Amino acid sequence: MLPFVRLFDYGNEVPDPSSGFRIISTGDALLLITKSGDLWVRGYNRYGKLGIGNNTTTYVRDWTKVRSDVKFACGSGLLTVIFTKDNRILYCGDKWFETGGVGSAQIFKWTDVTYQFGAVDLSTVRDMKMSYYTIGLLTTNNQLYAKGFDNNLSFGGVSNKATAVFIANNVQELYTSLVSTIYVDTSGILHRCGMSSNGSLGNNVNLTSYLSYSQPGMTIKDIGMMTTNTGLLYTDSSARTRYFIAGQNLNKQMGNAAAANAITSTYTELSGSVDKFSSLWENDGVLMTFAVGKNTNQLFYAGTNTFHTSGGVSSFADTYELVPMVFNDIQEVLCAQRLSVVHDSTKWYYCGDANSMYGLPDVSTFTELPLPF
């Protein structure tokens, strides 16, 4: 994941300055947004969430253009939400997003729910992120709002957020997994909320309201979030990066050499990681976590390589291993089911058993990602 100071103007991902587009992972689908507002999709069309006009096509196996007015987009396993250039909010997928958890139904045509955001000055929205059925909107005056079915109380309060509700002031950046959120306030303090009984937020109980966290003498640089664990990348007073982890070591993706599913319930510095990493993965994936090296041409991975998404040679890595490929100044790393995507300063690459879900050839080393133009 990129440091948050590079995300402000473009929603979930930073744009490619040479080609004017960005790619977002929803966990099991890819969304590509051009600077002009075209939205292209491919991947798992569960509940009709990709907006192709039906819920009978299971997998969209080639880039398919579905909109031409999109500014931001985000998604999860059952839902895609878009923010248009004229400040409207529409969705496809599970109706729970619209109703706040009442009457699940498959909505496969883009449905406008802008009227549910009366509490928000939509002209000020600068970012949009998603937990399972809930989006968070971050404004230019650093206010955070949420709307949807917040089944894990990832934004606190009550689960039924059928209309947008105010969450917090002084919010600099928002990070999300399917089941929890962390926001960084303007003074650099972290605030955590949502499911954490597995230790994923640095404690062993679920949080129904935001709880603060900081590392004395350090500045937060980046955050990587999975459903079962999180990683916090700090910079210390000597300008060295320091990496702290907490949660359940599902698929050995925490990189701490612990047994599978072992729980670290408080944030603990990862042995051997001082000044090793410069940024962390994007998106709540399944089997792998990634970290970009201090040398940004290097990529490290940890976890189980069942679907060949690591670009490495090991069947699993219980400590962070170097991907045997030299990139060119890595900008971001996206995690998804059966797929990982790397964007460096020159190209987009993918790796994994991607044919069945995305229609891409299965590859076990990072290969240039085909684009729709």
Side-chain angles (χ1 to χ4, degrees), residues 92-106:
C92 279
D94 199 318
K95 194 176 182 179
W96 273 353
F97 170 70
E98 181 177 353
T99 65
V102 179
S104 178
Q106 299 185 26

Side-chain angles (χ1 to χ4, degrees), residues 88-366:
R88 294 180 300 126
I89 296 177
L90 298 87
Y91 82 101
C92 279
D94 199 318
K95 194 176 182 179
W96 273 353
F97 170 70
E98 181 177 353
T99 65
V102 179
S104 178
Q106 299 185 26
I107 306 300
F108 51 85
K109 294 185 179 180
W110 294 106
T111 298
D112 193 326
V113 291
T114 308
Y115 70 96
Q116 295 182 319
F117 290 83
V120 189
D121 179 355
L122 294 177
S123 68
T124 67
V125 172
R126 63 175 169 90
D127 201 3
M128 182 171 72
K129 299 284 182 66
M130 173 169 280
S131 59
Y132 216 126
Y133 303 98
T134 310
I135 62 168
L137 296 177
L138 193 52
T139 68
T140 53
N141 59 350
N142 299 325
Q143 292 183 324
L144 176 62
Y145 295 83
K147 179 264 185 296
F149 175 38
D150 195 4
N151 56 324
N152 295 297
L153 298 183
S154 55
F155 289 88
V158 297
S159 60
N160 188 323
K161 297 178 173 69
T163 57
V165 296
F166 172 77
I167 302 297
N169 281 311
N170 302 315
V171 178
Q172 186 83 346
E173 177 59 17
L174 173 67
Y175 298 86
T176 64
S177 75
L178 288 176
V179 299
S180 59
T181 66
I182 299 176
Y183 75 79
V184 182
D185 70 22
T186 50
S187 64
I189 296 173
L190 278 59
H191 302 263
R192 307 156 289 161
C193 195
M195 186 177 292
S196 187
S197 58
N198 55 10
S200 61
L201 295 176
N203 58 352
N204 55 9
V205 296
N206 295 332
L207 300 176
T208 59
S209 60
Y210 279 96
L211 181 67
S212 63
Y213 179 84
S214 62
Q215 281 285 345
M218 299 190 194
T219 303
I220 191 66
K221 181 176 175 64
D222 203 3
I223 298 174
M225 298 188 71
M226 291 286 184
T227 298
T228 57
N229 53 74
T230 57
L232 308 178
L233 188 66
Y234 281 90
T235 303
D236 67 17
S237 59
S238 299
R240 303 174 302 173
T241 58
R242 309 280 293 272
Y243 185 45
F244 296 81
I245 57 173
Q248 183 180 2
N249 194 28
L250 184 68
N251 301 306
K252 299 193 174 183
Q253 63 191 200
M254 291 174 66
N256 62 350
N261 299 315
I263 290 177
T264 303
S265 59
T266 58
Y267 282 112
T268 302
E269 188 163 14
L270 182 66
S271 177
S273 66
V274 175
D275 220 27
K276 185 174 183 177
F277 304 135
S278 62
S279 62
L280 305 176
W281 71 93
E282 297 267 2
N283 308 104
D284 189 342
V286 180
L287 299 176
M288 291 279 170
T289 63
F290 290 90
V292 179
K294 193 67 179 291
N295 173 350
T296 58
N297 296 335
Q298 295 182 328
L299 180 65
F300 295 85
Y301 72 96
T304 304
N305 198 23
T306 303
F307 299 113
H308 306 103
T309 57
S310 72
V313 297
S314 300
S315 58
F316 74 89
D318 60 1
T319 59
Y320 278 97
E321 292 190 8
L322 180 65
V323 174
M325 176 173 174
V326 177
F327 295 91
N328 188 358
D329 189 19
I330 297 171
Q331 304 295 299
E332 59 195 314
V333 185
L334 312 180
C335 296
Q337 293 183 34
R338 296 178 170 265
L339 180 73
S340 54
V341 176
V342 174
H343 175 208
D344 72 8
S345 62
T346 61
K347 295 179 180 178
W348 292 83
Y349 301 90
Y350 82 98
C351 188
D353 295 346
N355 184 259
S356 61
M357 186 173 290
Y358 305 91
L360 294 164
D362 294 340
V363 292
S364 58
T365 57
F366 279 100

